[in-house]
Amino acid sequence: MAPTENDIAIVGFAQTSPDRRTQLTEADLVLHATRAVIADTGLDKSEIGFTVSGSCDYLSGQAFSFVQNTDAYGMVPAINESHVEMDGAWALYEAYVRLLQGDIDVAMAVGVGKNSNSDPSTLYTIEFDPYYLTPLGTDTWSLAALQARALLDSGKATERDFADVVVRNRANAKSNPYAQIKGDYSADELLAADYVRNPLRRHDLPPTTDQAAAIILARGKRAYDFCERPAWITGIDHRIEAHLPTVRKDITTSVSTRLAAQGAGVGKGPIEVAEVHAPFSFQELIVAESLGLDASTEINPSGGALATHAVMVAGIIRMGEAANQIIKNGKNRTLAHSTSGPCLQQNLVCVMEGDQ
Amino acid sequence: MADTVQEFVFNLTFPFTRTLGSTLSTFSSALAQGQIIGVRTGGRVIAPPLEYDPDSAADSGTDWVRVGPKGTVSTWTWVPEPTNLHPLDHAFGFAFITLDGADTPMLHVVDAGSESAMAAGMRVEASFKAPADCVGRIDDIIAFVPAADPSPSEGAGEPFAAPEENDITEMDAYCDLTYVDNASPTTTMWAKALMEGRIIGQKCPQCERTIVGPRGMCSVCAIELDESHVIDVPDRGVVSNFTIVTPVQYHGQTETEPFVRCSILLDGANAVIAQQEILGITASEVRVGMHVECVWAPANERSVQDIDNRSRGSGGDAIIGWRLTGEPDEPAENYLNRMM
Amino acid sequence: MSHQPVAIVGIGQTHHKRKRADVSIAGLVREAAQRALEDANMDWGDIDAVVLGKAPDLFEGVMKPEMYLADALGAVNKPMFRVHTAGSVGGSTGIVGSHLVSSGRHKRVLSVAFEKQSEGNAQFALGGGKGASIGAGGAFAPFIRAYIRRSGAPEDIGWMVAVKDRLNGAKNPYAHLKLADITIDKVKESPMMWDPLHFLESCPSSDGACAVVFTDEDGGKAASKPPAWVLATAMKSEPGWYSGRDAVNPQAAHACAQEIYKTVGITNPREQIDCAELYVPFSWYEPMWLEAHEIAAPGEGWKMTQSGATALDGDFPVNMSGGVLSSNPIGASGLLRFAEAALQVRGLAEDHQVGGANLAIAQAYGANAQFFAMWAVGSSLNPLG
């Protein structure tokens, strides 16, 4: 395609090794990811017109934890810079909107999360309604399990379907050097495990990962300076639902994913590869259905969030993986998805296309 | 010599106080009396009540409805091993429970004895704490238990007349999280040097700036710095600026009297060590331009237990503080801009 | 370019207080948002996207509270975005909201920023949950000491700012502190908190929220009340620490102002800008920012304060709202600056209105005086003619 000055592409993606427990700090991880993507694209840091990161204070238990991470950008002279308390996928969204202002042509989005410092079974109790949910110790695993049970009871899926999702993602992860949990498993052996939160077993839950990822976006013809075949963002949208799953009409589907998919134009053509951010196995089924995907779409060749899951990073990695399918793997139209909040409360969908 | 610490356990605890506002106060005040209520808004009864209709964001109003104490489970899970934050210390269920008289479920705990007792459609009943222990918080309901009599709750769906003034307008919310961080290689380097009575910095090969209390990177050049960039810096210098803090009392505060934290420009190093204590003088006697030298704890008493990834640059219990050398002050004007 | 004009057609804020005991967190943000919608003559359903900003989640102990607040702010089935850029966050929240319109993504966007400091304790949160927290005052006092020595400013400049901003605050019905009887002597005699800063030279701790409704050009032209037009936005950052860094006069503060002036065509800020809302949590930051934002020559900022130029009736009024010194719901403090600048060029600032204000700037800063957000707003798209 001949890009207009409003067309924006992903032209570079780098991630750090996905460790169960890194010795490094979040700032170190950001430095490694950003240095790698800057080197890969052949950029000089002074060419980056806007830098934005996504991270979370409560992952380290420290107010303003992101401030130290900005040391990794080398902000002398001063740079255009921002931060979101959201997954790096939303940082990328801010970078996309910033590029649309038209005064800059290169931006960098970053996601970072040292997840191993905290305990996911307790930490996320404070992410929920502080009056009705937090005092009960309502945890993220239990909320997911409640949604999974509703899905089973609806007849749309079985526990074996959940296990099959895990088997496929872990097998796909074998070819991904940046996957943490990988290998050949059978649904039968997975189903023999005890429940952590009925009907979810350990393998239905995401692993704990320490990681950072960085993406370079470029606008218009500038994209070709960094990449032969840029992944043009042809649609991007994100939507949120009511917080309490108990007031949503039907938690076995994802209204916000469906709306975001419409906004991103998913249905305008076939999707060859979809990178779906489903921290819990069964959520991949809900998201795929809500995206309107059929069997012709390959889902999560990277192994997805069941193989590697750093909170605040897993979403932006989906963007990078879906982009790489175009940049490096000859695919023409791919999709990236990211989620946040209890029972898929918030969802982002991005469609990318390569030059034909 | 004590080893440097590899892992830091950090308990983030704080007693938050939440003010409730009108809707939640009405709910809490009724709950403390053993009455669960919802609000009719947008054509449905939402229980527990929200201040706003989640669909339209319109104010919910005050059309209060009595709900429960019995209800029906719509979806459930089972927690075989509760955490310290869960309300029960034995295995229990979480469930969506549509209380009699309500159109939307509430999430709560089901104490059903065993996982096999849980099912969609099961009838459960609220079990309250003793009246004296009820504070109007959602966990005044200890748990829902299987209903002895599955028949509909009496009075459910009827209007609830809220009092003019609510008894309960606040709730306590105790945050209790545990973090376990580990020492980064850069932190370990700093802590080891302190144990040896050395202050180290890292010098950037590109911009040649030195940072004391290594950070593993140059924040100007965005390049990684490692052990090869470490230099020893002098443990003497001049106070370049300071802050005197009158301590505000808060949960976890350890100070009661005004305390000083100084920046010290180290002799000949063109580098500053920050957040240091000055010994032997009162806070009001600290001046910019004073010559000071480091007072090290005796080697066998040094400790770096407190040096974690956030406190690099602090001397831990290896540096007791800094004392005046007795040399005449330098002109303050030459130093004031060197807080860093 | 796709950059399209953006109008501010709705502004709302809460009554700020030490403790807003009458509302929940949702109630607090809704109070500001509903006032902004009312000002814009809109309802929740008219809004296309919501942006929420606040300072660290540790202040209230609710992680990513935008999740819990989604339905309270009418964001269900819409995009909801959360910004956190330290103290500058309120400014960033306004800028990100305006960009959603200027990029053509949305027609009507609601930006909301809040802090409910009374739920927890900021000093605790800033100390990382440990003892001996130096707090924000302890962090900034050395910068202020350096400024005073460097500029040769008399010691009463800080007291003058403290008095001036509180007198302005007394005219603002929403301000937390309304100290109509404040005097230089009272400031001077108040306890020393972080030498050289006295208690009355420091910002209060407040509960509060602020909300702004943005629309596209058509929306601005159709608005029932006069709109403010967003003329320029900038966010600039520099490292918090490096050897030799000049934190008194940060390069990012200069870069931020320069970008705004260039975009708007401002060549003489002191003459061309009618008034400014600057983030002054400690009195001395008024002269410091006047210099770092190139409104006053180096070393001369304090003379503007001393001469009365920055008073409400001066030639360059600063912090007409009473500023951060009168109300400090941290996460909202930046958006309150941005909103007041807009209120001024709309001519709707009532008792704290600067007559004939057509071009105003607002600024917020954060962390170790290293993150800056700024915008310029005008009564028309071309207030300089």
Side-chain angles (χ1 to χ4, degrees), chain C residues 88-119:
Chain C
S88 65
V89 65
S92 310
T93 306
I95 290 173
V96 170
S98 78
H99 285 182
L100 289 174
V101 175
S102 59
S103 63
R105 295 286 301 174
H106 300 294
K107 286 190 186 309
R108 290 168 299 271
V109 172
L110 174 68
S111 282
V112 182
F114 82 95
E115 209 71 65
K116 198 158 187 317
Q117 286 211 59
S118 70
E119 307 256 315

Side-chain angles (χ1 to χ4, degrees), chain C:
Chain C
M1 294 300 153
S2 59
H3 191 91
Q4 295 165 22
V6 179
I8 294 164
V9 298
I11 290 170
Q13 61 186 296
T14 57
H15 289 283
H16 313 298
K17 277 188 178 172
R18 164 77 190 86
K19 178 171 183 171
R20 279 296 305 267
D22 57 327
V23 288
S24 65
I25 296 172
L28 187 76
V29 296
R30 282 170 62 80
E31 183 177 315
Q34 281 167 322
R35 286 203 177 103
L37 290 171
E38 197 177 316
D39 188 29
N41 196 21
M42 287 186 194
D43 204 346
W44 297 104
D46 297 317
I47 296 297
D48 301 325
V50 180
V51 180
L52 184 81
K54 73 174 299 296
D57 295 353
L58 274 78
F59 285 180
E60 292 85 6
V62 183
M63 180 179 179
K64 296 163 72 194
E66 68 279 9
M67 306 310 289
Y68 139 69
L69 291 170
D71 21 347
L73 288 171
V76 168
N77 294 342
K78 298 172 186 172
M80 172 118 195
F81 203 83
R82 162 71 192 284
V83 182
H84 175 20
T85 61
S88 65
V89 65
S92 310
T93 306
I95 290 173
V96 170
S98 78
H99 285 182
L100 289 174
V101 175
S102 59
S103 63
R105 295 286 301 174
H106 300 294
K107 286 190 186 309
R108 290 168 299 271
V109 172
L110 174 68
S111 282
V112 182
F114 82 95
E115 209 71 65
K116 198 158 187 317
Q117 286 211 59
S118 70
E119 307 256 315
N121 182 298
Q123 197 95 338
F124 155 84
L126 292 172
K130 297 181 179 182
S133 165
I134 64 167
F140 293 132
F143 305 172
I144 289 166
R145 177 177 301 109
Y147 171 77
I148 295 171
R149 290 296 285 264
R150 214 153 113 167
S151 66
E155 63 177 350
D156 61 355
I157 296 296
W159 309 335
M160 292 174 74
V161 174
V163 170
K164 186 257 299 175
D165 282 5
R166 268 51 173 270
L167 292 177
N168 289 353
K171 296 185 164 79
N172 178 352
Y174 296 105
H176 169 179
L177 298 180
K178 295 195 186 70
L179 308 177
D181 59 351
I182 192 167
T183 61
I184 296 276
D185 281 346
K186 282 187 183 172
V187 177
K188 182 180 165 183
E189 281 155 22
S190 66
M192 187 68 87
M193 291 299 290
W194 302 277
D195 186 52
L197 290 168
H198 292 80
F199 177 75
L200 282 173
E201 289 180 276
S202 311
C203 53
S205 165
S206 316
D207 287 353
C210 181
V212 174
V213 177
F214 300 93
T215 67
D216 61 1
E217 189 168 11
D218 289 346
K221 287 179 173 163
S224 50
K225 292 187 198 171
W229 297 92
V230 180
L231 305 174
T233 62
M235 287 158 72
K236 298 283 181 185
S237 302
E238 68 177 82
W241 180 284
Y242 58 84
S243 182
R245 175 180 176 234
D246 185 355
V248 178
N249 195 22
Q251 46 149 347
H254 284 270
C256 201
Q258 285 165 6
E259 186 163 310
I260 295 286
Y261 301 161
K262 188 177 165 210
T263 307
V264 181
I266 295 169
T267 50
N268 184 340
R270 170 93 189 253
E271 292 295 322
Q272 293 170 300
I273 297 168
D274 296 315
C275 54
E277 280 280 319
L278 306 177
Y279 202 99
V280 178
F282 303 99
S283 58
W284 281 93
Y285 266 105
E286 174 173 299
M288 289 165 73
W289 293 145
L290 288 170
E291 293 178 33
H293 295 321
E294 305 180 2
I295 295 157
E300 306 273 311
W302 60 269
K303 293 179 184 167
M304 284 180 68
T305 304
Q306 190 180 48
S307 71
T310 60
L312 196 52
D313 59 358
D315 69 53
F316 194 96
V318 174
N319 292 335
M320 302 68 71
S321 67
V324 184
L325 285 173
S326 297
S327 311
N328 186 33
I330 299 178
S333 290
L335 193 57
L336 286 165
R337 308 283 70 70
F338 280 47
E340 173 72 15
L343 214 53
Q344 290 286 337
V345 298
R346 295 174 78 200
L348 301 176
E350 300 183 345
D351 290 350
H352 46 106
Q353 178 69 47
V354 173
N358 290 314
L359 173 57
I361 60 164
Q363 170 258 33
Y365 81 96
N368 208 17
Q370 66 186 108
F371 301 143
F372 294 85
M374 191 182 267
W375 76 14
V377 287
S379 55
S380 70
L381 278 166
N382 191 8
L384 292 177

Side-chain angles (χ1 to χ4, degrees), chain A residues 5-6 56-58 61-64 66-67 70-71 74-86 90 93-94 96-98 100-103 123-124 126-131 219 236-244 247 255 259 312 340-342 345-346, chain C residues 1-3 24-26 55-64 66-71 75-87 92 96 99-100 102-103 105-106 119 125-126 128 235-242 251-252 255 259 367-368 370-371:
Chain A
E5 62 187 6
N6 287 332
C56 176
D57 277 351
Y58 261 116
Q62 189 189 15
F64 299 118
F66 76 91
V67 175
T70 64
D71 276 350
M75 303 188 289
V76 180
I79 66 168
N80 298 317
E81 191 267 335
S82 186
H83 175 263
V84 298
E85 201 82 354
M86 306 178 89
W90 275 268
Y93 183 84
E94 184 176 336
Y96 174 86
V97 171
R98 183 66 186 79
L100 284 177
Q101 305 303 310
D103 59 327
L123 175 63
Y124 300 103
I126 59 165
E127 193 188 1
F128 307 133
D129 183 310
Y131 313 97
R219 186 169 61 87
I236 184 167
D237 199 356
H238 65 97
R239 301 299 174 102
I240 198 164
E241 296 178 46
H243 175 67
L244 290 173
V247 302
V255 174
L259 291 170
M312 311 315 275
S340 179
Q345 186 191 354
Q346 187 179 32
Chain C
M1 294 300 153
S2 59
H3 191 91
S24 65
I25 296 172
D57 295 353
L58 274 78
F59 285 180
E60 292 85 6
V62 183
M63 180 179 179
K64 296 163 72 194
E66 68 279 9
M67 306 310 289
Y68 139 69
L69 291 170
D71 21 347
V76 168
N77 294 342
K78 298 172 186 172
M80 172 118 195
F81 203 83
R82 162 71 192 284
V83 182
H84 175 20
T85 61
S92 310
V96 170
H99 285 182
L100 289 174
S102 59
S103 63
R105 295 286 301 174
H106 300 294
E119 307 256 315
L126 292 172
M235 287 158 72
K236 298 283 181 185
S237 302
E238 68 177 82
W241 180 284
Y242 58 84
Q251 46 149 347
E259 186 163 310
N368 208 17
Q370 66 186 108
F371 301 143

Side-chain angles (χ1 to χ4, degrees), chain B residues 10-22 24 50-60 169-170 175 209-212 215 219-220 241-255 259 261 263 269-275 288 306 308 310-311 331-333 336-340, chain C residues 19-28 30 34 43-45 57-62 68-69 71-76 116 118-121 123-124 127-135 137-139 141-147 149-150 192-195 207 239-248 368:
Chain B
F10 172 52
N11 293 310
L12 185 69
T13 58
F14 192 81
F16 289 96
T17 307
R18 308 213 178 285
T19 59
L20 297 174
S22 161
L24 300 177
L50 295 173
E51 296 168 56
Y52 37 83
D53 180 334
D55 292 337
S56 68
D59 283 331
S60 290
T169 57
E170 292 191 354
C175 174
R209 289 181 174 90
T210 298
I211 183 159
V212 173
R215 293 198 185 187
S219 65
V220 172
N241 215 314
F242 59 90
T243 194
I244 303 173
V245 179
T246 305
V248 177
Q249 289 314 306
Y250 60 85
H251 177 81
Q253 173 64 284
T254 51
E255 304 297 319
F259 60 95
R261 292 289 181 271
S263 286
N270 192 18
V272 168
I273 184 167
Q275 300 279 327
V288 174
D306 289 341
D308 61 22
R310 305 169 188 181
S311 54
E333 288 66 26
L336 272 158
N337 281 348
R338 292 308 303 270
M339 293 150 288
M340 299 182 189
Chain C
K19 178 171 183 171
R20 279 296 305 267
D22 57 327
V23 288
S24 65
I25 296 172
L28 187 76
R30 282 170 62 80
Q34 281 167 322
D43 204 346
W44 297 104
D57 295 353
L58 274 78
F59 285 180
E60 292 85 6
V62 183
Y68 139 69
L69 291 170
D71 21 347
L73 288 171
V76 168
K116 198 158 187 317
S118 70
E119 307 256 315
N121 182 298
Q123 197 95 338
F124 155 84
K130 297 181 179 182
S133 165
I134 64 167
F143 305 172
I144 289 166
R145 177 177 301 109
Y147 171 77
R149 290 296 285 264
R150 214 153 113 167
M192 187 68 87
M193 291 299 290
W194 302 277
D195 186 52
D207 287 353
W241 180 284
Y242 58 84
S243 182
R245 175 180 176 234
D246 185 355
V248 178
N368 208 17

Side-chain angles (χ1 to χ4, degrees), chain B residues 220-304:
Chain B
V220 172
C221 303
I223 59 175
E224 190 171 357
L225 303 178
D226 59 25
E227 228 153 333
S228 72
H229 304 103
V230 168
I231 58 169
D232 279 75
V233 294
D235 61 355
R236 304 164 57 87
V238 175
V239 172
S240 62
N241 215 314
F242 59 90
T243 194
I244 303 173
V245 179
T246 305
V248 177
Q249 289 314 306
Y250 60 85
H251 177 81
Q253 173 64 284
T254 51
E255 304 297 319
T256 54
E257 296 300 317
F259 60 95
V260 181
R261 292 289 181 271
C262 290
S263 286
I264 298 165
L265 180 63
L266 299 171
D267 288 347
N270 192 18
V272 168
I273 184 167
Q275 300 279 327
Q276 300 300 307
E277 290 183 55
I278 304 294
L279 307 172
I281 55 174
T282 62
S284 60
E285 293 172 307
V286 174
R287 298 180 309 273
V288 174
M290 286 176 155
H291 282 276
V292 292
E293 63 186 3
C294 182
V295 180
W296 292 93
N300 59 353
E301 291 173 20
R302 281 177 206 155
S303 158
V304 286

